[in-house]
Amino acid sequence: MATEFRFGVGVTRASSRTKLEDSARRAEALGFDVLHVPDHLGGPAPFPVMTAVAMATSTLRVGTFVINSAFYRPALLARDVGALHDLSDGRFELGLGTGYVKEEFDAAGIAYPSARERVDHLKATTEYMAEHLPDVPLMIAGNGDRVLRIAARSADIIGLTGGDRAATPDEDPLADRIAFVRDAAGDRFGELELNVAITAMPVDDSGQPDLTIPRISLPGLSDEELLRHPGVLSGTTQEIADRIRGYRDVYGISYLIVQMRHAEAFSKVIELLR
Protein backbone atom coordinates (compact mmCIF):
# COMPACT_ATOMS: atom_id res chain seq x y z
CA MET A 1 0.00 0.00 0.00
CA ALA A 2 1.15 3.53 -0.74
CA THR A 3 2.11 5.62 2.28
CA GLU A 4 -0.56 8.15 3.18
CA PHE A 5 0.33 11.74 2.39
CA ARG A 6 0.83 14.39 5.05
CA PHE A 7 0.91 18.11 4.39
CA GLY A 8 2.41 20.95 6.38
CA VAL A 9 2.29 24.72 6.09
CA GLY A 10 4.88 27.17 7.37
CA VAL A 11 4.29 30.43 9.24
CA THR A 12 6.93 33.15 8.98
CA ARG A 13 4.93 36.04 10.50
CA ALA A 14 2.91 36.38 13.70
CA SER A 15 1.92 40.03 13.94
CA SER A 16 -1.06 39.43 16.21
CA ARG A 17 -2.73 36.63 18.13
CA THR A 18 -5.97 37.07 16.19
CA LYS A 19 -4.30 36.81 12.78
CA LEU A 20 -2.23 33.84 13.89
CA GLU A 21 -5.21 31.95 15.26
CA ASP A 22 -7.28 32.71 12.18
CA SER A 23 -4.48 31.43 9.91
CA ALA A 24 -4.08 28.27 11.99
CA ARG A 25 -7.78 27.48 11.96
CA ARG A 26 -7.91 28.15 8.24
CA ALA A 27 -4.99 25.78 7.63
CA GLU A 28 -6.74 23.12 9.70
CA ALA A 29 -9.95 23.59 7.70
CA LEU A 30 -8.04 23.38 4.40
CA GLY A 31 -6.76 19.92 5.27
CA PHE A 32 -3.23 20.60 6.43
CA ASP A 33 -1.83 18.24 9.03
CA VAL A 34 0.96 20.31 10.57
CA LEU A 35 1.77 23.99 11.02
CA HIS A 36 5.50 24.72 11.09
CA VAL A 37 7.46 27.63 12.49
CA PRO A 38 11.08 28.31 11.46
CA ASP A 39 13.83 29.42 13.85
CA HIS A 40 15.49 32.58 12.57
CA LEU A 41 16.27 35.86 14.28
CA GLY A 42 13.90 38.41 12.84
CA GLY A 43 11.16 35.80 12.54
CA PRO A 44 8.53 34.68 15.05
CA ALA A 45 9.66 32.98 18.26
CA PRO A 46 8.85 29.29 17.64
CA PHE A 47 7.56 28.08 20.99
CA PRO A 48 5.14 30.92 21.86
CA VAL A 49 3.73 30.81 18.33
CA MET A 50 3.29 27.03 18.37
CA THR A 51 1.66 27.18 21.81
CA ALA A 52 -0.86 29.75 20.58
CA VAL A 53 -1.62 27.62 17.52
CA ALA A 54 -2.08 24.47 19.58
CA MET A 55 -4.49 26.29 21.90
CA ALA A 56 -6.56 27.57 18.94
CA THR A 57 -6.90 24.26 17.07
CA SER A 58 -7.97 20.71 17.82
CA THR A 59 -6.36 18.40 15.23
CA LEU A 60 -3.61 20.50 13.65
CA ARG A 61 -0.15 19.41 14.74
CA VAL A 62 2.63 21.94 15.34
CA GLY A 63 6.32 21.63 14.62
CA THR A 64 9.60 23.42 14.01
CA PHE A 65 11.13 23.56 10.56
CA VAL A 66 13.70 23.65 11.87
CA ILE A 67 15.21 24.57 15.21
CA ASN A 68 18.76 25.90 14.99
CA SER A 69 20.12 23.35 17.47
CA ALA A 70 23.39 25.28 17.88
CA PHE A 71 21.42 28.05 19.63
CA TYR A 72 20.30 25.73 22.43
CA ARG A 73 21.63 23.56 25.22
CA PRO A 74 19.89 20.18 24.92
CA ALA A 75 18.45 20.18 28.45
CA LEU A 76 16.98 23.68 28.09
CA LEU A 77 15.52 22.88 24.68
CA ALA A 78 14.08 19.65 26.09
CA ARG A 79 12.29 21.65 28.80
CA ASP A 80 10.42 23.68 26.16
CA VAL A 81 9.82 20.64 23.97
CA GLY A 82 8.38 18.65 26.86
CA ALA A 83 6.12 21.49 27.93
CA LEU A 84 4.70 22.01 24.44
CA HIS A 85 4.29 18.27 23.97
CA ASP A 86 2.09 18.22 27.07
CA LEU A 87 0.19 21.45 26.38
CA SER A 88 -0.63 20.36 22.82
CA ASP A 89 -1.85 16.93 23.95
CA GLY A 90 0.98 15.28 22.02
CA ARG A 91 0.52 17.28 18.79
CA PHE A 92 4.10 18.57 18.66
CA GLU A 93 6.86 17.42 16.30
CA LEU A 94 10.43 18.62 16.84
CA GLY A 95 12.42 19.50 13.74
CA LEU A 96 16.16 20.01 14.16
CA GLY A 97 18.88 21.43 11.93
CA THR A 98 22.48 22.46 12.44
CA GLY A 99 22.03 26.21 11.94
CA TYR A 100 23.89 27.87 9.10
CA VAL A 101 23.36 31.64 9.00
CA LYS A 102 26.51 33.19 10.49
CA GLU A 103 24.92 36.64 10.72
CA GLU A 104 22.31 35.26 13.14
CA PHE A 105 25.01 33.88 15.42
CA ASP A 106 26.74 37.26 15.32
CA ALA A 107 23.50 39.07 16.14
CA ALA A 108 22.85 36.69 19.05
CA GLY A 109 26.37 37.16 20.42
CA ILE A 110 27.12 33.46 19.97
CA ALA A 111 30.38 32.24 18.47
CA TYR A 112 29.81 30.67 15.07
CA PRO A 113 30.91 27.02 15.34
CA SER A 114 32.55 25.15 12.49
CA ALA A 115 30.42 22.87 10.33
CA ARG A 116 31.81 19.85 12.15
CA GLU A 117 31.03 21.39 15.55
CA ARG A 118 27.48 22.24 14.51
CA VAL A 119 26.86 18.68 13.32
CA ASP A 120 28.39 17.30 16.53
CA HIS A 121 26.01 19.47 18.54
CA LEU A 122 23.05 18.30 16.44
CA LYS A 123 24.02 14.72 17.19
CA ALA A 124 24.28 15.41 20.93
CA THR A 125 20.91 17.18 20.91
CA THR A 126 19.31 14.32 19.03
CA GLU A 127 20.65 11.78 21.50
CA TYR A 128 19.41 13.83 24.45
CA MET A 129 15.90 14.11 23.01
CA ALA A 130 15.77 10.40 22.25
CA GLU A 131 16.71 9.60 25.85
CA HIS A 132 14.52 12.13 27.64
CA LEU A 133 11.57 12.68 25.27
CA PRO A 134 11.19 9.50 23.23
CA ASP A 135 7.47 10.17 22.57
CA VAL A 136 8.13 13.38 20.62
CA PRO A 137 8.46 12.69 16.86
CA LEU A 138 11.80 13.97 15.59
CA MET A 139 12.60 15.43 12.19
CA ILE A 140 16.14 16.18 11.05
CA ALA A 141 16.58 18.27 7.91
CA GLY A 142 19.73 18.62 5.84
CA ASN A 143 21.69 17.49 2.83
CA GLY A 144 25.21 16.58 3.93
CA ASP A 145 26.40 13.06 4.60
CA ARG A 146 26.95 13.44 8.35
CA VAL A 147 23.57 15.09 8.96
CA LEU A 148 21.70 12.53 6.86
CA ARG A 149 23.54 9.69 8.60
CA ILE A 150 22.40 10.99 11.99
CA ALA A 151 18.86 11.39 10.65
CA ALA A 152 18.81 7.92 9.12
CA ARG A 153 19.82 6.34 12.42
CA SER A 154 17.87 8.48 14.88
CA ALA A 155 15.04 10.52 13.33
CA ASP A 156 11.44 9.64 12.55
CA ILE A 157 11.20 12.14 9.69
CA ILE A 158 13.93 13.26 7.29
CA GLY A 159 13.70 16.65 5.63
CA LEU A 160 15.38 16.45 2.23
CA THR A 161 16.49 19.61 0.46
CA GLY A 162 16.07 18.09 -2.98
CA GLY A 163 19.74 18.57 -3.76
CA ASP A 164 21.75 21.76 -3.82
CA ARG A 165 23.03 21.62 -7.38
CA ALA A 166 21.72 21.37 -10.89
CA ALA A 167 21.16 17.88 -12.21
CA THR A 168 22.53 16.79 -15.55
CA PRO A 169 20.37 14.50 -17.71
CA ASP A 170 22.15 11.53 -16.15
CA GLU A 171 21.93 12.72 -12.55
CA ASP A 172 19.25 12.85 -9.89
CA PRO A 173 20.58 14.56 -6.72
CA LEU A 174 17.42 13.76 -4.76
CA ALA A 175 17.60 10.07 -5.60
CA ASP A 176 21.28 10.09 -4.63
CA ARG A 177 20.50 11.52 -1.18
CA ILE A 178 17.67 9.05 -0.61
CA ALA A 179 19.92 6.15 -1.60
CA PHE A 180 22.45 7.40 0.94
CA VAL A 181 19.75 7.51 3.62
CA ARG A 182 18.58 4.02 2.70
CA ASP A 183 22.08 2.61 3.12
CA ALA A 184 22.63 4.45 6.40
CA ALA A 185 19.24 3.49 7.86
CA GLY A 186 19.40 -0.20 7.05
CA ASP A 187 16.41 -2.10 8.39
CA ARG A 188 14.73 1.01 9.79
CA PHE A 189 14.45 2.75 6.40
CA GLY A 190 10.88 1.53 5.96
CA GLU A 191 9.89 3.29 9.18
CA LEU A 192 11.15 6.71 8.06
CA GLU A 193 8.91 9.45 6.71
CA LEU A 194 10.57 11.41 3.89
CA ASN A 195 9.82 15.10 3.53
CA VAL A 196 10.44 17.86 1.00
CA ALA A 197 9.72 21.55 1.56
CA ILE A 198 8.14 23.43 -1.34
CA THR A 199 9.57 26.94 -1.65
CA ALA A 200 7.69 28.06 -4.78
CA MET A 201 4.45 27.18 -6.53
CA PRO A 202 1.72 28.98 -8.52
CA VAL A 203 -0.88 30.87 -6.51
CA ASP A 204 -2.99 31.87 -9.54
CA ASP A 205 -4.02 30.38 -12.87
CA SER A 206 -0.74 31.26 -14.62
CA GLY A 207 0.92 27.99 -13.66
CA GLN A 208 4.11 29.95 -12.92
CA PRO A 209 5.72 30.02 -9.47
CA ASP A 210 7.37 33.03 -7.85
CA LEU A 211 11.05 32.04 -7.71
CA THR A 212 12.11 34.67 -5.17
CA ILE A 213 12.80 32.22 -2.32
CA PRO A 214 14.58 29.49 -4.32
CA ARG A 215 16.73 32.14 -6.02
CA ILE A 216 17.98 33.13 -2.57
CA SER A 217 18.42 29.61 -1.21
CA LEU A 218 19.93 28.18 -4.41
CA PRO A 219 21.80 31.13 -5.95
CA GLY A 220 23.93 28.93 -8.19
CA LEU A 221 20.99 27.64 -10.24
CA SER A 222 19.40 29.30 -13.25
CA ASP A 223 15.64 29.85 -13.36
CA GLU A 224 15.35 26.94 -15.78
CA GLU A 225 17.21 24.70 -13.35
CA LEU A 226 15.12 25.93 -10.42
CA LEU A 227 11.92 24.98 -12.24
CA ARG A 228 13.17 21.37 -12.32
CA HIS A 229 14.06 21.38 -8.63
CA PRO A 230 11.88 19.15 -6.39
CA GLY A 231 11.11 22.10 -4.13
CA VAL A 232 9.61 24.15 -6.96
CA LEU A 233 6.20 23.28 -8.41
CA SER A 234 4.66 24.67 -11.59
CA GLY A 235 1.72 23.92 -13.87
CA THR A 236 -1.97 23.32 -13.24
CA THR A 237 -3.39 21.93 -10.03
CA GLN A 238 -3.71 18.51 -11.66
CA GLU A 239 -0.14 18.62 -12.96
CA ILE A 240 1.15 19.52 -9.52
CA ALA A 241 -0.85 16.70 -7.92
CA ASP A 242 0.56 14.26 -10.48
CA ARG A 243 4.09 15.42 -9.76
CA ILE A 244 3.61 14.93 -6.04
CA ARG A 245 2.26 11.43 -6.63
CA GLY A 246 5.46 10.86 -8.56
CA TYR A 247 7.48 11.96 -5.54
CA ARG A 248 5.81 9.21 -3.55
CA ASP A 249 5.95 6.56 -6.25
CA VAL A 250 9.55 7.19 -7.32
CA TYR A 251 11.23 8.44 -4.14
CA GLY A 252 8.97 7.38 -1.27
CA ILE A 253 8.36 11.02 -0.28
CA SER A 254 4.94 11.40 1.34
CA TYR A 255 5.27 14.55 3.45
CA LEU A 256 5.19 17.97 1.76
CA ILE A 257 5.44 21.41 3.35
CA VAL A 258 4.41 24.67 1.68
CA GLN A 259 4.45 28.29 2.84
CA MET A 260 1.37 30.03 4.22
CA ARG A 261 1.17 32.15 1.07
CA HIS A 262 0.64 28.89 -0.85
CA ALA A 263 -2.00 27.46 1.49
CA GLU A 264 -5.16 28.31 -0.44
CA ALA A 265 -3.73 27.22 -3.81
CA PHE A 266 -2.21 24.05 -2.39
CA SER A 267 -5.43 23.06 -0.68
CA LYS A 268 -6.83 22.32 -4.15
CA VAL A 269 -3.90 19.94 -4.67
CA ILE A 270 -4.64 18.28 -1.35
CA GLU A 271 -8.20 17.61 -2.50
CA LEU A 272 -6.87 15.68 -5.50
CA LEU A 273 -4.44 13.63 -3.41
CA ARG A 274 -6.87 12.43 -0.76
Side-chain angles (χ1 to χ4, degrees):
M1 290 181 62
T3 304
E4 186 173 340
F5 281 115
R6 285 207 306 156
F7 302 106
V9 60
V11 168
T12 56
R13 294 183 182 87
S15 57
S16 75
R17 174 181 171 182
T18 298
K19 290 181 179 178
L20 176 64
E21 290 180 345
D22 287 347
S23 294
R25 293 188 185 106
R26 181 58 179 160
E28 188 174 50
L30 289 173
F32 287 93
D33 301 288
V34 191
L35 185 143
H36 286 277
V37 185
D39 185 23
H40 292 291
L41 291 185
F47 284 94
V49 169
M50 290 185 294
T51 301
V53 169
M55 298 300 101
T57 57
S58 57
T59 61
L60 190 69
R61 299 179 68 81
V62 293
T64 50
F65 193 86
V66 285
I67 283 287
N68 177 349
S69 60
F71 273 179
Y72 303 85
R73 290 295 183 187
L76 298 179
L77 178 60
R79 178 181 63 180
D80 288 350
V81 170
L84 184 50
H85 175 71
D86 292 340
L87 291 173
S88 66
D89 295 325
R91 287 185 283 140
F92 174 55
E93 302 175 2
L94 175 63
L96 293 176
T98 60
Y100 63 93
V101 183
K102 182 180 183 300
E103 291 76 11
E104 293 186 9
F105 286 83
D106 295 340
I110 299 173
Y112 185 57
S114 68
R116 174 171 290 277
E117 289 170 334
R118 297 197 309 276
V119 176
D120 286 344
H121 188 72
L122 172 68
K123 183 174 185 292
T125 302
T126 299
E127 292 170 349
Y128 191 95
M129 297 299 162
E131 178 181 355
H132 294 275
L133 294 165
D135 294 336
V136 177
L138 177 63
M139 167 193 276
I140 294 178
N143 191 63
D145 286 0
R146 287 194 67 206
V147 170
L148 289 181
R149 190 175 291 114
I150 294 168
R153 295 173 179 174
S154 304
D156 304 292
I157 310 158
I158 299 184
L160 299 153
T161 67
D164 57 1
R165 58 188 173 83
T168 69
D170 298 325
E171 292 181 316
D172 187 338
L174 179 57
D176 172 78
R177 295 290 77 197
I178 293 174
F180 181 89
V181 169
R182 183 187 296 273
D183 289 342
D187 292 342
R188 74 185 301 267
F189 180 76
E191 303 170 9
L192 298 175
E193 184 177 40
L194 302 183
N195 162 273
V196 162
I198 303 302
T199 58
M201 67 166 289
V203 294
D204 53 27
D205 295 331
S206 70
Q208 297 301 311
D210 178 354
L211 297 177
T212 300
I213 295 177
R215 283 179 184 139
I216 294 171
S217 59
L218 296 166
L221 303 189
S222 68
D223 285 0
E224 181 181 353
E225 290 166 338
L226 287 174
L227 289 171
R228 297 198 300 267
H229 191 275
V232 175
L233 301 174
S234 57
T236 66
T237 300
Q238 185 63 62
E239 288 170 337
I240 290 173
D242 291 342
R243 185 173 180 184
I244 291 173
R245 286 194 189 93
Y247 287 176
R248 185 174 64 181
D249 295 344
V250 175
Y251 302 110
I253 294 168
S254 59
Y255 184 11
L256 285 297
I257 298 172
V258 300
Q259 301 303 307
M260 187 60 76
R261 73 191 71 171
H262 305 141
E264 295 286 340
F266 195 76
S267 69
K268 299 174 184 177
V269 179
I270 293 176
E271 291 177 3
L272 295 177
L273 294 171
R274 286 187 166 154

